[in-house]
Coordinates of all heavy atoms in Angstrom, one line a residue:
A730 N 3.2 32.0 29.8 CA 2.6 30.7 29.5 C 3.3 29.7 30.4 O 4.5 29.8 30.7 CB 2.8 30.3 28.1
R731 N 2.5 28.7 30.8 CA 3.1 27.5 31.5 C 3.3 26.5 30.4 O 2.4 26.3 29.5 CB 2.2 26.9 32.5 CG 2.0 27.8 33.7 CD 1.9 27.0 35.0 NE 3.3 26.5 35.4 CZ 4.2 27.3 35.9 NH1 4.0 28.6 36.1 NH2 5.4 26.8 36.3
L732 N 4.5 25.9 30.3 CA 4.8 24.9 29.2 C 4.2 23.6 29.6 O 3.9 23.3 30.7 CB 6.3 24.9 28.9 CG 6.8 26.4 28.6 CD1 8.3 26.3 28.3 CD2 6.0 27.1 27.5
L733 N 4.2 22.7 28.6 CA 3.4 21.5 28.7 C 4.3 20.3 29.3 O 5.5 20.2 29.0 CB 2.9 21.0 27.4 CG 2.0 21.9 26.6 CD1 1.8 21.5 25.2 CD2 0.7 21.9 27.4
P734 N 3.7 19.6 30.2 CA 4.4 18.4 30.8 C 4.5 17.3 29.7 O 3.6 17.3 28.8 CB 3.6 17.9 31.9 CG 2.2 18.4 31.6 CD 2.3 19.7 30.8
P735 N 5.4 16.3 29.8 CA 5.5 15.3 28.8 C 4.1 14.5 28.8 O 3.4 14.4 29.8 CB 6.6 14.4 29.3 CG 7.3 15.2 30.3 CD 6.4 16.2 30.8
I736 N 3.8 13.9 27.7 CA 2.6 13.1 27.5 C 3.0 11.6 27.7 O 4.1 11.2 27.2 CB 2.0 13.3 26.1 CG1 1.6 14.8 26.0 CG2 0.8 12.4 25.9 CD1 1.1 15.1 24.5
Q737 N 2.2 10.8 28.3 CA 2.5 9.4 28.5 C 1.8 8.6 27.3 O 0.6 8.7 27.1 CB 1.9 8.9 29.8 CG 2.5 9.6 31.0 CD 4.0 9.5 31.1 OE1 4.5 8.4 31.0 NE2 4.6 10.6 31.4
L738 N 2.7 7.9 26.6 CA 2.2 7.1 25.5 C 2.3 5.6 25.8 O 3.3 5.2 26.4 CB 2.9 7.4 24.2 CG 2.8 8.8 23.7 CD1 3.7 9.0 22.5 CD2 1.4 9.2 23.4
D739 N 1.4 4.8 25.3 CA 1.5 3.3 25.5 C 2.7 2.8 24.7 O 3.0 3.3 23.7 CB 0.2 2.6 25.0 CG -0.9 2.8 26.1 OD1 -0.6 3.3 27.2 OD2 -2.0 2.4 25.8
T740 N 3.2 1.6 25.2 CA 4.2 0.9 24.4 C 3.6 -0.2 23.5 O 4.3 -0.6 22.6 CB 5.2 0.3 25.4 OG1 4.5 -0.4 26.4 CG2 6.1 1.4 26.1
V741 N 2.5 -0.7 23.9 CA 1.8 -1.7 23.1 C 0.3 -1.3 22.9 O -0.2 -0.6 23.8 CB 1.9 -3.1 23.6 CG1 3.2 -3.7 23.3 CG2 1.5 -3.2 25.0
Y742 N -0.3 -1.8 21.9 CA -1.7 -1.6 21.6 C -2.3 -2.9 21.2 O -1.7 -3.7 20.6 CB -1.8 -0.6 20.4 CG -1.2 0.7 20.8 CD1 0.2 0.9 20.6 CD2 -1.9 1.8 21.3 CE1 0.8 2.1 21.0 CE2 -1.4 3.0 21.7 CZ 0.0 3.1 21.5 OH 0.6 4.3 21.9
A743 N -3.6 -3.1 21.6 CA -4.2 -4.4 21.3 C -5.7 -4.3 21.2 O -6.3 -3.4 21.8 CB -3.8 -5.4 22.3
G744 N -6.3 -5.2 20.4 CA -7.7 -5.3 20.3 C -8.1 -6.7 20.0 O -7.3 -7.5 19.5
A745 N -9.3 -7.1 20.4 CA -9.7 -8.5 20.2 C -11.1 -8.5 19.5 O -12.0 -7.8 20.0 CB -9.8 -9.2 21.6
N746 N -11.2 -9.3 18.5 CA -12.5 -9.5 17.8 C -12.8 -10.9 17.7 O -12.0 -11.8 17.9 CB -12.4 -8.9 16.4 CG -12.2 -7.4 16.4 OD1 -12.0 -6.8 17.4 ND2 -12.2 -6.8 15.2
Q747 N -14.0 -11.2 17.2 CA -14.4 -12.6 17.1 C -15.2 -12.8 15.8 O -16.0 -11.9 15.5 CB -15.3 -13.0 18.3 CG -15.5 -14.5 18.3 CD -16.1 -15.0 19.6 OE1 -16.7 -14.3 20.4 NE2 -15.8 -16.3 19.9
E748 N -15.0 -13.9 15.2 CA -15.8 -14.3 14.1 C -16.9 -15.2 14.6 O -16.6 -16.2 15.3 CB -15.0 -15.1 13.0 CG -14.4 -14.1 12.1 CD -13.5 -14.7 11.0 OE1 -13.5 -16.0 10.9 OE2 -12.8 -14.0 10.3
S749 N -18.2 -14.9 14.4 CA -19.3 -15.6 15.1 C -19.4 -17.0 14.5 O -19.6 -18.0 15.3 CB -20.6 -14.9 14.9 OG -20.7 -14.3 13.7
Q750 N -19.2 -17.2 13.2 CA -19.5 -18.5 12.7 C -18.6 -19.6 13.2 O -18.9 -20.7 13.7 CB -19.5 -18.5 11.2 CG -20.5 -19.5 10.6 CD -20.3 -19.6 9.1 OE1 -19.8 -18.7 8.5 NE2 -20.8 -20.6 8.5
N751 N -17.3 -19.3 13.1 CA -16.3 -20.4 13.4 C -15.7 -20.2 14.8 O -14.9 -21.0 15.3 CB -15.2 -20.4 12.4 CG -14.5 -19.1 12.3 OD1 -14.5 -18.3 13.2 ND2 -13.9 -18.8 11.1
G752 N -16.1 -19.1 15.5 CA -15.6 -18.9 16.9 C -14.2 -18.4 17.0 O -13.7 -18.3 18.1
D753 N -13.5 -18.1 15.9 CA -12.2 -17.6 16.0 C -12.1 -16.3 16.8 O -12.9 -15.4 16.5 CB -11.6 -17.4 14.6 CG -11.1 -18.6 13.9 OD1 -11.2 -19.7 14.5 OD2 -10.5 -18.5 12.8
V754 N -11.2 -16.3 17.7 CA -10.9 -15.0 18.4 C -9.7 -14.5 17.7 O -8.7 -15.2 17.5 CB -10.7 -15.2 19.9 CG1 -10.0 -14.0 20.5 CG2 -11.9 -15.6 20.6
I755 N -9.8 -13.2 17.3 CA -8.7 -12.6 16.6 C -8.0 -11.5 17.4 O -8.7 -10.5 17.7 CB -9.2 -12.0 15.2 CG1 -10.0 -13.0 14.4 CG2 -8.0 -11.4 14.4 CD1 -10.8 -12.4 13.4
L756 N -6.8 -11.8 17.8 CA -6.1 -10.7 18.6 C -5.2 -10.0 17.7 O -4.4 -10.6 16.9 CB -5.3 -11.4 19.7 CG -6.0 -12.4 20.6 CD1 -5.0 -12.9 21.7 CD2 -7.2 -11.8 21.2
K757 N -5.3 -8.7 17.7 CA -4.3 -7.8 17.0 C -3.5 -7.0 18.0 O -4.1 -6.3 18.8 CB -5.1 -6.9 16.0 CG -6.0 -7.6 15.0 CD -6.4 -6.6 14.0 CE -7.7 -7.1 13.3 NZ -8.9 -6.7 14.0
M758 N -2.2 -7.2 17.9 CA -1.4 -6.6 18.9 C -0.2 -5.8 18.2 O 0.4 -6.4 17.3 CB -0.8 -7.6 19.8 CG -1.9 -8.4 20.6 SD -1.4 -9.8 21.5 CE -1.2 -11.0 20.1
I759 N 0.1 -4.6 18.7 CA 1.1 -3.8 18.0 C 2.1 -3.4 19.1 O 1.8 -2.9 20.2 CB 0.5 -2.6 17.4 CG1 -0.4 -3.0 16.2 CG2 1.5 -1.5 17.0 CD1 -1.2 -1.9 15.6
N760 N 3.4 -3.7 18.8 CA 4.5 -3.2 19.6 C 5.2 -2.1 18.9 O 5.8 -2.3 17.8 CB 5.4 -4.4 19.9 CG 6.6 -4.1 20.7 OD1 6.7 -3.0 21.3 ND2 7.6 -4.9 20.7
V761 N 5.3 -0.9 19.5 CA 6.0 0.2 18.8 C 7.4 0.4 19.4 O 8.0 1.4 19.1 CB 5.1 1.5 18.9 CG1 3.8 1.4 18.2 CG2 4.9 1.9 20.4
Q762 N 7.8 -0.6 20.1 CA 9.2 -0.4 20.7 C 10.2 -1.2 19.9 O 9.9 -2.2 19.2 CB 9.2 -1.0 22.2 CG 8.1 -0.4 23.0 CD 8.3 1.1 23.1 OE1 9.3 1.6 23.5 NE2 7.2 1.9 22.8
R763 N 11.5 -0.8 20.1 CA 12.6 -1.5 19.4 C 12.8 -2.9 20.0 O 13.4 -3.7 19.3 CB 13.9 -0.6 19.6 CG 15.1 -1.1 18.9 CD 16.2 -0.2 19.1 NE 16.2 0.9 18.1 CZ 16.5 0.9 16.9 NH1 17.0 -0.2 16.4 NH2 16.4 1.9 16.1
E764 N 12.4 -3.1 21.2 CA 12.7 -4.4 21.9 C 11.4 -5.2 21.8 O 10.3 -4.7 21.7 CB 13.0 -4.3 23.4 CG 14.4 -3.6 23.6 CD 14.3 -2.1 23.5 OE1 13.3 -1.6 23.8 OE2 15.3 -1.6 23.0
P765 N 11.5 -6.6 21.9 CA 10.3 -7.4 22.0 C 9.5 -7.0 23.2 O 10.1 -6.5 24.2 CB 10.9 -8.8 22.1 CG 12.3 -8.8 21.8 CD 12.8 -7.4 22.0

Side-chain angles (χ1 to χ4, degrees):
R731 292 222 74 73
L732 306 183
L733 298 168
I736 297 173
Q737 300 300 313
L738 298 176
D739 281 354
T740 48
V741 283
Y742 299 82
N746 293 6
Q747 187 167 28
E748 275 178 8
S749 36
Q750 211 189 342
N751 57 27
D753 277 5
V754 167
I755 306 162
L756 308 184
K757 301 193 201 87
M758 298 169 285
I759 291 175
N760 178 14
V761 294
Q762 307 300 305
R763 181 177 281 281
E764 292 80 34

